[in-house]
């Protein structure tokens, strides 16, 4: 069995690093009138995880581990993480929240594999987890994906991604004001600290928990 020194990366990790670097340095657009490159996954794990932003967040964990192993490569890791953070501010990162208004019109036609996600006596009358239901009562339409009452998974994972960037790079770039969504009047200004503070206040005010999809609170 081949062993790897504790301060080096094995070939599989190096391959993943090269792949991520190629992904973040390949030009694409996450603005509303653009399109993420096809190498950003929006297919795996439906109905909850099949959104481009999960590829961004899930790709960041390896960067944190690799940076602890080879800290001299911090510039490369930081470049990758910055590319992940930048894309997460675009319209496509929040496309589910910005397009799934009201109850799911397809909920009477869900595939049988969704039955594990829907209370049995509500089958056909219940939005599957993954349908964000922006605009349902009592909240109304909320176009800021961070300031919304729901959408916990969007802002929670984004805060984590920003934190990993800060941990690896030592740079407070994302704690300076930046714009989210950037869709005309639907442009919102945040900082890393403000997002974390907003999320902490939501948890404080809702002891039962914060919503991911509207009216759905994850027990774990």
């Amino acid at each position: 069995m081949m062993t790897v020194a504790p301060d080096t990366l094995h070939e599989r990790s190096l391959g993943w690093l090269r792949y991520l670097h190629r992904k973040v340095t390949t030009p694409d657009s996450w603005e509303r009138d653009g399109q993420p490159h096809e190498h950003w996954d929006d297919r795996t794990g439906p109905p909850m995880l099949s959104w481009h932003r999960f590829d961004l967040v899930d790709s960041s964990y390896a960067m944190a581990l690799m940076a602890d192993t080879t800290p001299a490569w911090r510039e490369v890791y930081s470049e990758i993480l910055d590319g992940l953070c930048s894309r997460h501010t675009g319209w496509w990162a929040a496309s589910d929240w910005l397009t799934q208004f009201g109850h799911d019109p397809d909920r009477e036609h869900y595939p049988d594999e969704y039955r594990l996600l829907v209370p049995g006596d509500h089958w056909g009358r219940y939005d599957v987890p993954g349908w964000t239901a922006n605009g349902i009562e009592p909240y109304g339409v909320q176009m800021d994906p961070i300031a919304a009452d729901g959408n916990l998974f969007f802002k929670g994972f984004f805060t984590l991604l920003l934190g990993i960037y800060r941990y690896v790079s030592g740079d407070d770039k994302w704690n300076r004001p930046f714009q989210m969504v950037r869709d005309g009047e639907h442009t919102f200004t945040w900082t890393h600290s403000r997002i974390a503070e907003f999320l902490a206040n939501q948890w404080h005010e809702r002891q039962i928990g914060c919503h991911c999809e509207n009216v759905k609170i994850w027990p774990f």
Side-chain angles (χ1 to χ4, degrees), residues 8-217:
T8 60
L9 300 178
H10 54 61
E11 286 299 316
R12 185 175 181 180
S13 294
L14 288 172
W16 181 241
L17 179 60
R18 285 191 293 268
Y19 175 57
L20 278 180
H21 188 266
R22 185 168 73 248
K23 285 175 72 171
V24 301
T25 56
T26 298
D28 64 352
S29 173
W30 288 54
E31 306 305 306
R32 182 171 186 170
D33 59 354
Q35 180 69 49
H37 192 280
E38 61 183 7
H39 59 204
W40 297 107
D41 184 8
D42 65 340
R43 296 171 294 278
T44 301
M48 291 172 286
L49 305 178
S50 53
W51 302 96
H52 293 101
R53 70 172 176 275
F54 284 99
D55 197 355
L56 303 180
V57 175
D58 291 348
S59 295
S60 69
Y61 308 145
M63 294 300 94
L65 294 172
M66 291 181 188
D68 281 347
T69 302
T70 55
W73 297 357
R74 175 183 292 187
E75 290 183 1
V76 175
Y77 300 131
S78 299
E79 180 184 10
I80 293 172
L81 288 165
D82 190 52
L84 302 179
C85 292
S86 297
R87 287 173 170 83
H88 205 294
T89 67
W91 185 93
W92 277 96
S95 60
D96 51 342
W97 185 257
L98 300 173
T99 59
Q100 294 181 339
F101 298 107
H103 293 292
D104 186 355
D106 197 43
R107 60 185 182 177
E108 295 182 12
H109 308 288
Y110 289 152
D112 283 342
E113 54 262 33
Y114 287 8
R115 287 185 180 275
L116 294 174
L117 303 171
V118 174
D121 56 346
H122 290 286
W123 181 253
R125 298 178 291 108
Y126 186 93
D127 298 332
V128 71
W131 179 269
T132 54
N134 189 357
I136 66 171
E137 296 298 331
Y139 309 108
V141 173
Q142 299 174 315
M143 295 303 290
D144 186 338
I146 292 176
D149 284 282
N151 217 21
L152 165 65
F153 55 166
F154 178 86
K155 53 197 148 194
F157 283 123
F158 186 36
T159 306
L160 175 60
L161 176 58
L162 295 172
I164 291 174
Y165 172 82
R166 178 65 183 265
Y167 170 75
V168 170
S169 70
D171 184 4
D172 70 347
K173 168 183 177 177
W174 292 100
N175 212 30
R176 299 188 288 272
F178 59 86
Q179 292 184 334
M180 296 285 302
V181 181
R182 299 182 293 277
D183 182 24
E185 64 179 310
H186 300 138
T187 299
F188 312 99
T189 301
W190 288 89
T191 67
H192 183 190
S193 294
R194 282 192 61 225
I195 297 172
E197 181 181 11
F198 184 86
L199 188 55
N201 287 336
Q202 279 194 311
W203 278 104
H204 179 74
E205 295 165 2
R206 298 166 175 80
Q207 294 301 310
I208 194 172
C210 301
H211 298 186
C212 278
E213 303 88 350
N214 274 338
V215 305
K216 290 182 175 59
I217 298 171

